[in-house]
Amino acid sequence: MIAEAQFNRATLDCMTALRRQLKRTLGVTIRLGDPDAVESMIGLSRDSSSAEIRELGTRLADMIRPGQDDQAQSPLAQGAIASRQFRHRQENRARLEAESEHAEAPSGSVRIYRGQVIRS
């Protein structure tokens, strides 16, 4: 299963190219919506005699490899919307920390609704 953070346009392009090559050479039809589609494509590419299919499979495996902590921390590799959401989360976190430091004794209850602090 591919994580949402690892799924981007480059990953999708590689998956579709590999899928087409597998269908053309091996006659195997893999649906991209299947939960094990990525693992199936990588497995079939390792066993293939075609160098192009093996190269596409290796590239896809490298793209979805877990443990890329530097990309998870940096919003630069993400799209524009994800980058703005990351910045918005950071600003909210800083604002909430500042409010909690300056707050004296909490009166009533505090809850979070859709990212906003609601005090009652």
Side-chain angles (χ1 to χ4, degrees), residues 15 21 27 34 39 45 53 56 58 67 79 89 92 115:
M15 287 173 64
Q21 288 295 326
D34 291 343
E39 291 83 6
S45 67
I53 292 176
L56 282 170
T58 304
R89 282 192 299 262
N92 280 344

Side-chain angles (χ1 to χ4, degrees), residues 19-81:
R19 179 178 175 258
R20 284 184 189 130
Q21 288 295 326
L22 288 171
K23 180 156 175 100
R24 186 178 307 141
T25 58
L26 302 175
V28 178
T29 302
I30 297 175
R31 295 182 185 269
L32 295 179
D34 291 343
D36 62 339
V38 175
E39 291 83 6
S40 299
M41 286 191 287
I42 291 172
L44 288 170
S45 67
R46 286 184 187 140
D47 300 335
S48 176
S49 60
S50 171
E52 184 178 0
I53 292 176
R54 285 194 309 270
E55 191 271 326
L56 282 170
T58 304
R59 190 168 57 170
L60 180 61
D62 289 342
M63 287 180 179
I64 65 163
R65 181 178 300 143
Q68 297 175 348
D69 295 335
D70 54 328
Q71 277 190 340
Q73 295 296 328
S74 172
L76 297 176
Q78 300 174 356
I81 294 173

